[in-house]
Amino acid sequence: MTVADELEAARAALVMINPAPYNAEAPPAGLTTDVTPTELHYVRSNFAVPDHDGTLEIGGAVGKPTTLTLEDLRAMPAYDRTVTLECAGNGRLEMRPLPTGEPWGDFAVSTARWTGALLHDVLAKVQPAVDGVELLATGADHGPYHLQAVLPETDQDDLTFTRALPLAQATDPDSGILIAYEMNGRPLGGDHGAPFRLIVPHWYAVASVKWLRRLDVLTEPYTGEFQTGHYIYEWPDRPHEPVTLMRVRARITDPRPGSVLTRDVCTVRGKAWSGTGPVTKVEVSLTGEGDWQPAQLEPAAPGDFGWQDWRFTWDGIGVGRHTLRARATDAAGNVQPDVPPWNRLGYGNNAIEVIYVDRH
Ligand SMILES: Nc1nc2c(c(=O)[nH]1)N[C@H]1C(S)=C(S)[C@@H](COP(=O)(O)O)O[C@H]1N2
Ligand SMILES: [Mo]
């Protein structure tokens, strides 16, 4: 198979929203299992899938600059992590007024089992400088960025995908960050960052740089387009903030919105996740206000960074139209809002989902 044929086959089951660069949502089935099958995992890329020479250069403010190959990474202790990735632009389509940016519905979120070397172990080899503050990750992808750039100094003819993390987080073994070379037990595919990528649990997925080419320890905070231009909450009424941890959110996966129920009992099912602490509570409401009823929530497994399953037995369903809402709370006490937190670029919509179903 040619590279183009492989990409076409890998994309067949997704809901395409932009052919070039290729961006696609998961189909609804992608949210129904603990791990999303690879062919149903959403794809978000700012540029075309790049060529990659198979090496990772690590430099900047380090004692021992190093170049690693895929074989070198595979020779290190391997870690498996089940991680939910959500695009910060997920849910943008529901914001009013409509923000600029890719028109994501609610399916730019998926969960995979990633295998790779621990970023902490890789950085230990290069000896980051004591005055290092951030770790800059550079992807192999680049291309024109006309009309989209927020920062005036951005090279709009040929921009490269670069994004920095706090160095303290990058070197912390407990943050769980991987340089992943396998997704669901198979080598990474072209759309998901082959041959290796960062996987940063709990953060909106922009931090999980694909097609990783370079890591550089910086002694000053990074200010590139994807750090301080895009992926910034531009609040209308308060200072701008960077997009970091995923906001708490629940999705209803069953019944599907608008479906017709023919019985008076139904198991409502869904998923819930949060970057700011394990989800501790999911509640369901069958009316427009009040009366939140507890759903059964799968407990968060320690060391697991994937979404949690929830279910609710709904019985005595009368004939007619019914509304359903699901609301998640996390261990830090964050609760989903009714109204999406509007910001100019349309990030971080974690508003409570509202669906309706008809009972015939
Ligand atoms: N090199 C590179 N890495 C990237 C991106 C990109 O455009 N280029 N997009 C980021 C964004 S915004 C998201 S949401 C995730 C999507 O990862 P996925 O396509 O594997 O689902 O990749 C992140 N990593
Ligand atoms: Mo994203």
Side-chain angles (χ1 to χ4, degrees), residues 73-74 76-79 115-119 121-122 177-181:
L73 292 170
R74 282 189 176 274
M76 296 177 64
Y79 292 80
T115 307
L118 207 57
L119 180 61
D121 294 351
V122 172
I177 304 173
L178 297 180
I179 300 182
Y181 43 74

Side-chain angles (χ1 to χ4, degrees), residues 41-47 85-88 114 139-141 161 191-192 197 205-206 208-211 231:
H41 194 290
Y42 85 97
V43 175
R44 197 286 183 259
S45 301
N46 284 272
F47 304 106
L85 291 184
E86 181 179 23
C87 183
W114 303 93
D141 53 326
F161 192 85
D191 280 324
H192 295 294
R197 70 177 299 174
V206 62
S208 294
V209 176
K210 304 195 279 191
W211 311 294
Y231 304 100

